[in-house]
Amino acid sequence: MANAFVAGNWKMNTSISEATMLARSLRSGLLGIDGVTQVICPPFVSLAGVAAELAGSNIKVGAQNMHSEIKGAFTGEIAGSMLKGICDYVILGHSERRQLLGEMDDFINAKVRTALETGITPILCVGETLEQRDNGEAAAIVQGQLQGGLLGLSAEQIEQSVVAYEPVWAIGTGRAATPEMAQEMMGLIRQEVGRLSSVGIASNVPLLYGGSVNTENCLHLASLKDLDGALVGGASLKPDDFVAITKAFGTRI
Ligand code: PGA
């Protein structure tokens, strides 16, 4: 069974000083919670400050994006090598980037490969829109995004990755997937990851659910068979809530 895993995606929130203060509160709040991999993903400009604040703790730092190229003329972009040493994780293929910035599976796949080659663990996000779900296409869309995102990876590389299922309609809406919906899709994801690697490897890949995870639904979500953890947006900006959510996944058997 994969380790319990909770990541906070701060998105485009917090000033540099707010980020440091938030990291400080999380450091004391999360102290002593064992058995859960804990990752926080602040904006790029706060990565170094947050990493310094968390030095010596169990909390890992992740970036919210990176470019697929190693270096060069890509104005405004950040390379994996620039993150190395600060970040252990990077969120890739988030639906906000897919939808608002037009990121496609082949670009996301190139980023996933570069992340792994750089020694940074990708958190690959997949998830359908409401329209796709209403049309009965959710499973096919998620399967396609997994195949596209993990294309060409060796089984060992897949084992070093994390997958987050984030239905677009549940992100930031307060309307989380029901536990039944989440389990159904996470089961399919586990199966697809197994098909792309092996059943044994798939059982070790942390599968996260994201989309309006909060202090009220986290215990139920944490009890689901194929759900190893959560990718938390809004609630990750509230230290008490993020700590409660992390504790809930720590109780997962
Ligand atoms: P949310 O965001 O928890 O605010 O819905 C989740 C995410 O986008 O990662």
Side-chain angles (χ1 to χ4, degrees):
M1 192 160 94
N3 238 345
F5 192 113
V6 176
N9 174 10
W10 294 1
K11 307 193 180 185
M12 198 171 73
N13 295 296
T14 65
S15 65
I16 292 177
S17 59
E18 285 166 350
T20 312
M21 274 167 7
L22 182 51
R24 197 170 300 160
S25 313
L26 287 170
R27 182 177 182 145
S28 62
L30 293 169
L31 194 70
I33 304 179
D34 296 321
V36 187
T37 304
Q38 302 155 17
V39 182
I40 56 181
C41 306
F44 282 127
V45 293
S46 297
L47 285 172
V50 166
E53 195 62 45
L54 299 177
S57 76
N58 285 334
I59 310 167
K60 307 283 186 206
V61 177
Q64 297 174 19
N65 181 39
M66 58 171 259
H67 199 271
S68 57
E69 294 295 329
I70 293 163
K71 64 174 183 175
F74 300 96
T75 303
E77 290 294 329
I78 302 285
S81 58
M82 300 169 187
L83 302 173
K84 185 77 183 143
I86 305 177
C87 297
D88 291 302
Y89 294 87
V90 60
I91 298 172
L92 296 174
H94 192 281
S95 65
E96 283 151 16
R97 299 196 65 85
R98 289 181 192 260
Q99 297 216 304
L100 305 174
L101 299 161
E103 288 197 8
M104 308 289 279
D105 283 330
D106 52 352
F107 187 32
I108 295 162
N109 176 240
K111 295 181 188 207
V112 167
R113 292 181 193 216
T114 306
L116 287 162
E117 280 156 20
T118 312
I120 299 173
T121 301
I123 301 175
L124 172 66
C125 301
V126 296
E128 82 286 356
T129 62
L130 187 56
E131 196 187 352
Q132 290 163 338
R133 176 160 283 269
D134 288 345
N135 289 341
E137 296 164 355
I141 292 291
V142 167
Q143 211 171 20
Q145 289 174 345
L146 278 173
Q147 287 165 5
L150 300 175
L151 188 73
L153 264 58
S154 66
E156 291 70 31
Q157 285 178 313
I158 291 179
E159 194 165 28
Q160 286 157 29
S161 307
V162 176
V163 174
Y165 168 56
E166 299 205 306
V168 176
W169 45 271
I171 296 178
T173 57
R175 181 188 160 196
T178 63
E180 294 70 29
M181 270 181 200
Q183 169 52 38
E184 188 188 8
M185 191 61 88
M186 306 307 284
L188 283 175
I189 292 174
R190 183 89 66 198
Q191 230 172 36
E192 186 61 26
V193 173
R195 212 183 55 77
L196 297 169
S197 55
S198 74
V199 173
I201 283 179
S203 67
N204 291 332
V205 173
L207 300 189
L208 317 183
Y209 166 79
S212 298
V213 176
N214 58 35
T215 51
E216 265 136 55
N217 58 24
C218 58
L219 267 173
H220 201 161
L221 289 168
S223 71
L224 301 176
K225 174 171 166 280
D226 284 302
L227 207 153
D228 302 307
L231 180 53
V232 187
S236 72
L237 295 166
K238 301 177 200 150
D240 291 350
D241 291 15
F242 191 70
V243 168
I245 293 166
T246 306
K247 276 190 185 145
F249 281 91
T251 63
R252 200 183 63 117
I253 311 157

